[in-house]
Amino acid sequence: MAGGWAQYGVRFAGSDGLKPLVGATAPLPSPSTTGGLRGVGARGGTLGFLGVGMSQAMELDAPLAGLVKNYDGLLNLVQVPLSRSPADPGSGEWSYTFPDLAPFAGAVRYCQLFVIDPGAPALVSATNGWRVEFGQ
């Protein structure tokens, strides 16, 4: 298995109607140390929460009314700070580079990034779902 990723589901707009997006910083073959996750196009200078699950889902009105949670299970949220200024909608970014992908070899995970954004109807914008397949 070579590793890879695919997006699915819908995104939810925040400030100025911009919709954040989640993706990869590089291919995710194991034992590469260059692979990582990233979120872009969100409100800057705020907090995001990365949700991770074991399978794809479509849970309506979760974690808040008007949103859709695109992964299974409990929220499994990890707090992540977003860079840049809140005065510049869409400038917020977050990234994480794995120090060692070997422990994830062959694993598949489903992720989604939620961002606190007072310009969003639910006060939270959200990326679409993201299927991550770690290579072997």
Side-chain angles (χ1 to χ4, degrees), residues 86-130:
D88 188 10
S91 70
E93 298 179 351
W94 163 82
S95 66
Y96 176 78
T97 300
F98 290 95
D100 181 11
L101 289 174
F104 299 99
V108 176
R109 297 293 181 265
Y110 297 81
C111 307
Q112 186 174 13
L113 182 65
F114 299 94
V115 178
I116 296 172
D117 187 336
L123 302 179
V124 173
S125 60
T127 67
N128 50 342
W130 188 52

Side-chain angles (χ1 to χ4, degrees), residues 47-61:
L47 288 177
F49 296 89
L50 181 68
V52 180
M54 301 294 279
S55 64
Q56 182 174 329
M58 186 176 165
E59 186 178 339
L60 301 177
D61 291 326

Side-chain angles (χ1 to χ4, degrees), residues 5 10 26 33-34 36 46-47 66 68 76 81 92 109 116:
W5 56 275
V10 296
T33 59
T34 60
T46 188
L47 288 177
V68 173
N76 303 320
R109 297 293 181 265
I116 296 172

Side-chain angles (χ1 to χ4, degrees), residues 12-71:
F12 293 88
S15 297
D16 289 348
L18 296 172
K19 297 177 181 179
L21 187 64
V22 69
T25 56
L28 297 169
S30 181
S32 170
T33 59
T34 60
L37 310 177
R38 73 182 199 146
V40 298
R43 178 181 174 87
T46 188
L47 288 177
F49 296 89
L50 181 68
V52 180
M54 301 294 279
S55 64
Q56 182 174 329
M58 186 176 165
E59 186 178 339
L60 301 177
D61 291 326
L64 299 168
L67 296 176
V68 173
K69 185 167 68 96
N70 290 306
Y71 61 95

